[in-house]
Amino acid sequence: MAFTITDFHDLVRLLEQHEEWRKELRRLLLTDELLNLPNAFRELHKLVDRRFAELAEAQRRTEEALAAHRAETDRRFAELAEALRNLSETFTAHRQEFLEYRAETDRRFAELAEAQRRHYEEFAAHRQEFVAHRQEFLEYRAETERRFAELAEAQRRHYEEFAAHRQEFVAHRQEFLEYRAETERRFAELAEAQRRTEETLRQVLLRQEQFQRTLDRFGQTVGVTVEGQMVEAVQRYLAERGYVLLEPIATLAIDRIGELDGIARVRGPDGEEAWLLISVKARLGPRAVHDFADLLRNAAVQEALRAYGVRGPVLPLIFGVVLDRRALELAREARIGLLLQAQGELVAPQPWTLEASGGSEDP
């Protein structure tokens, strides 16, 4: 049985009433690949975005091109739907006209049949146009598949590049791990060397403390020995110059300051009494002269001497074993006597007066 315009119109009306029929018709007209194209493209887009950030710009251009092609396809389908709708409206109008005129006259039936023939020819022309549009669609689909193949090839190349970069990253990471292990080993060696250095330093400090204690004991021994020699030398010195010791030569400790190595009251050849203040140095140098002069000028020392009963002039004298030549001139300027164990008097002491203001000597 031939497919008539009435049957086509009924088919169109049924399709408009049943959405599932239209879906089935679209499924028959369109391939599964085209129907699934949006979902597949979205999945591919997500995969490309997740794995290759650098393809984002290329993917964006691809999406724009696809959107343009999809818009063009939608426009053409819209045109086709509009043509079909217009054809349906035309068929509906003619069918209504045919029904109205069939009741009115048989003559109009012949005219309607002729009109039907013409409309069938128009439908055939529209069908040919549809076939042409379908051919265009198939060509577009082939072009789309070609572009998808190109995109898949580009994706494959990028994946290979990614794999190469990953291998390079693994190699660099291995190099970093080896470098870190070497660095940690060197830090461990440095820490061990630091520990050994600290241990060595501790030993050195311990030995230094032991040496200092030994040196202190030696200094005490030498000091006592030199002070003993000083007493004999000073006694001879005073006797040679007509001085008389009025009391034994003794040391005098001064709280929180130090001590005088020797102090004694003497009477001179002229019958005048004075106090002999003595400093003992194994090596007699400029520093010994400065320190002794500063000690005698110290107000607290002068106050301690006055409390001890020192009155009148004092005779400052430094006794030594070895002499630094630079001490001679300083001793003369400071008016301090120098007495060496082997050489005797080198500089005669000049009288000092202990003043309440502290430290100035008589001119």
Side-chain angles (χ1 to χ4, degrees):
M1 182 177 63
F3 183 79
T4 64
I5 295 177
T6 303
D7 295 332
F8 178 79
H9 185 71
D10 293 339
L11 176 61
V12 171
R13 188 179 69 256
L14 290 174
L15 291 174
E16 290 178 348
Q17 294 176 357
H18 296 278
E19 173 66 23
E20 65 277 10
W21 291 7
R22 291 197 301 275
K23 292 181 179 179
E24 184 65 19
L25 180 60
R26 283 194 297 269
R27 188 185 65 80
L28 293 175
L29 292 177
L30 304 176
T31 63
D32 292 339
E33 292 82 359
L34 186 61
L35 290 174
N36 294 327
L37 182 61
N39 292 332
F41 180 76
R42 283 191 293 270
E43 291 299 323
L44 178 61
H45 179 67
K46 291 179 181 178
L47 180 59
V48 171
D49 280 346
R50 183 171 64 254
R51 293 186 177 178
F52 306 102
E54 60 267 28
L55 287 177
E57 182 61 23
Q59 184 66 28
R60 183 185 63 79
R61 294 195 297 268
T62 301
E63 288 179 357
E64 292 178 354
L66 182 61
H69 286 299
R70 186 165 53 200
E72 179 65 17
T73 301
D74 292 341
R75 183 184 65 79
R76 292 183 179 181
F77 271 103
E79 291 178 355
L80 179 59
E82 180 66 20
L84 290 174
R85 188 184 62 79
N86 292 336
L87 180 60
S88 176
E89 290 177 354
T90 302
F91 281 138
T92 301
H94 283 292
R95 186 172 184 277
Q96 183 64 29
E97 183 180 359
F98 168 75
L99 292 175
E100 291 176 355
Y101 279 98
R102 186 177 62 179
E104 180 181 358
T105 180
D106 292 337
R107 181 183 59 82
R108 299 291 299 274
F109 179 76
E111 293 178 356
L112 182 59
E114 179 63 21
Q116 181 180 357
R117 184 188 61 78
R118 291 194 303 269
H119 285 300
Y120 183 77
E121 291 176 353
E122 292 177 0
F123 172 74
H126 283 297
R127 188 173 184 278
Q128 290 178 355
E129 183 178 358
F130 174 76
V131 171
H133 282 299
R134 178 173 174 77
Q135 181 63 31
E136 183 179 358
F137 165 74
L138 293 176
E139 293 174 355
Y140 167 73
R141 186 177 65 180
E143 176 66 16
T144 303
E145 290 176 352
R146 183 186 63 79
R147 292 185 177 180
F148 269 112
E150 292 177 354
L151 182 60
E153 177 63 19
Q155 179 182 353
R156 184 189 62 79
R157 291 195 304 268
H158 283 295
Y159 182 78
E160 291 177 353
E161 293 177 0
F162 170 76
H165 284 299
R166 179 176 177 80
Q167 291 179 355
E168 184 178 357
F169 169 75
V170 170
H172 282 299
R173 176 172 176 77
Q174 181 63 28
E175 182 180 358
F176 164 72
L177 293 177
E178 294 174 356
Y179 173 76
R180 185 175 64 182
E182 177 65 16
T183 302
E184 290 176 353
R185 183 186 65 78
R186 290 182 178 179
F187 271 117
E189 292 178 354
L190 182 60
E192 178 62 20
Q194 179 68 20
R195 185 191 64 77
R196 292 196 299 269
T197 301
E198 292 176 354
E199 179 64 20
T200 302
L201 182 60
R202 189 181 66 81
Q203 294 294 333
V204 170
L205 292 177
L206 181 60
R207 292 177 182 177
Q208 183 178 358
E209 291 177 358
Q210 294 174 351
F211 176 75
Q212 185 62 43
R213 288 195 294 270
T214 302
L215 186 62
D216 291 342
R217 289 194 299 270
F218 178 75
Q220 292 174 0
T221 302
V222 172
V224 171
T225 301
V226 175
E227 288 177 1
Q229 296 172 353
M230 175 269 294
V231 172
E232 295 178 1
V234 168
Q235 288 175 344
R236 289 195 304 270
Y237 168 74
L238 293 175
E240 291 172 356
R241 285 158 179 74
Y243 283 89
V244 178
L245 277 171
L246 301 180
E247 59 183 48
I249 300 174
T251 61
L252 176 63
I254 301 174
D255 293 341
R256 297 184 300 277
I257 296 177
E259 70 174 11
L260 287 171
D261 297 322
I263 182 172
R265 189 161 55 91
V266 298
R267 181 183 300 114
D270 56 1
E272 296 292 331
E273 293 186 2
W275 287 88
L276 185 64
L277 304 181
I278 307 170
S279 174
V280 177
K281 299 293 181 183
R283 179 177 293 275
L284 204 166
R287 187 66 186 176
V289 177
H290 282 299
D291 291 345
F292 193 37
D294 291 340
L295 180 68
L296 297 180
R297 294 190 183 99
N298 189 292
V301 172
Q302 295 183 6
E303 182 65 28
L305 290 174
R306 282 193 292 271
Y308 184 72
V310 176
R311 298 289 186 273
V314 298
L315 299 174
L317 179 68
I318 301 177
F319 174 80
V321 177
V322 180
L323 174 68
D324 185 335
R325 184 177 179 81
R326 295 172 296 176
L328 289 172
E329 187 62 30
L330 292 176
R332 293 189 184 97
E333 294 176 357
R335 303 173 67 196
I336 295 176
L338 297 183
L339 178 65
L340 262 67
Q341 179 184 8
Q343 302 183 49
E345 181 186 74
L346 301 181
V347 177
Q350 301 297 321
W352 282 41
T353 299
L354 300 180
E355 300 179 351
S357 59
S360 59
E361 58 217 38
D362 285 341

